[in-house]
Amino acid sequence: MHTDYAAQHELGLAGERAAVKWYLEEGYTLLGQRQRMISGEIDAVVEGCDGTIVFVEVKSRRGGGFGAAEAVTAKKFQTMRRCAAQWLEKHPELGYREIRFDVVECVIDGEDCIIRRFPGVEDAAC
């Protein structure tokens, strides 16, 4: 594995772990992480205490600045919707639920990880 790719991959995994930890601390239940679908990958799927299923896209970067969330384009949201539909088809036991798409930005600066969550951002992007 190329060193730059390996470092970027590890950064992404660290961001995903931090985002999942944040959701769990907020009372969400983890339903899946790094879920491979035909259309792509879902970083995390969590369930809120109200039963809402949240599909989470995590964007990570090193350093003190924000801006990684802007990398989530309308095309990425189309992929997220397709992946979510495929994931829901695999989990009919959940029945009908409200769903939401969140983007979580993790800025990792040394040992610190700053989380910014953008809930329901699909509506703003479309």
Side-chain angles (χ1 to χ4, degrees), residues 8 10-23 32-34 41-46 55-61 68-72 76-77 80 101-108 113-118 121:
Q8 193 65 22
E10 184 53 41
L11 175 66
L13 292 177
E16 288 175 18
R17 286 190 298 270
V20 166
K21 181 180 177 208
W22 183 91
Y23 278 99
Q33 191 171 1
R34 291 187 298 280
E41 183 177 278
I42 302 169
D43 292 334
V45 183
V46 296
F55 295 92
V56 182
E57 174 67 19
V58 180
K59 293 296 182 188
S60 305
R61 71 168 18 166
E70 286 79 17
V72 182
K76 178 59 181 175
F77 276 114
M80 288 174 68
F101 296 91
D102 287 1
V103 173
V104 174
E105 183 173 65
C106 297
V107 177
I108 299 172
C113 180
I114 302 166
I115 302 274
R116 282 199 329 179
R117 181 177 67 104
F118 301 91
V121 295

Side-chain angles (χ1 to χ4, degrees), residues 5-121:
Y5 176 80
Q8 193 65 22
H9 181 72
E10 184 53 41
L11 175 66
L13 292 177
E16 288 175 18
R17 286 190 298 270
V20 166
K21 181 180 177 208
W22 183 91
Y23 278 99
L24 294 175
E25 289 171 352
E26 292 295 312
Y28 289 77
T29 301
L30 181 64
L31 300 178
Q33 191 171 1
R34 291 187 298 280
Q35 301 290 288
R36 302 279 315 144
M37 300 289 115
I38 294 169
S39 296
E41 183 177 278
I42 302 169
D43 292 334
V45 183
V46 296
E47 181 179 10
C49 59
D50 64 354
T52 299
I53 296 175
V54 183
F55 295 92
V56 182
E57 174 67 19
V58 180
K59 293 296 182 188
S60 305
R61 71 168 18 166
R62 289 202 190 280
F66 289 99
E70 286 79 17
V72 182
T73 64
K75 183 176 179 178
K76 178 59 181 175
F77 276 114
Q78 289 174 350
T79 300
M80 288 174 68
R81 284 192 297 270
R82 282 193 300 273
C83 288
Q86 291 165 5
W87 190 90
L88 290 167
E89 284 177 15
K90 288 185 169 192
H91 295 88
E93 73 278 5
L94 294 174
Y96 175 79
R97 303 284 184 92
E98 292 291 321
I99 65 168
R100 186 177 79 220
F101 296 91
D102 287 1
V103 173
V104 174
E105 183 173 65
C106 297
V107 177
I108 299 172
D109 193 7
E111 295 296 315
D112 296 325
C113 180
I114 302 166
I115 302 274
R116 282 199 329 179
R117 181 177 67 104
F118 301 91
V121 295

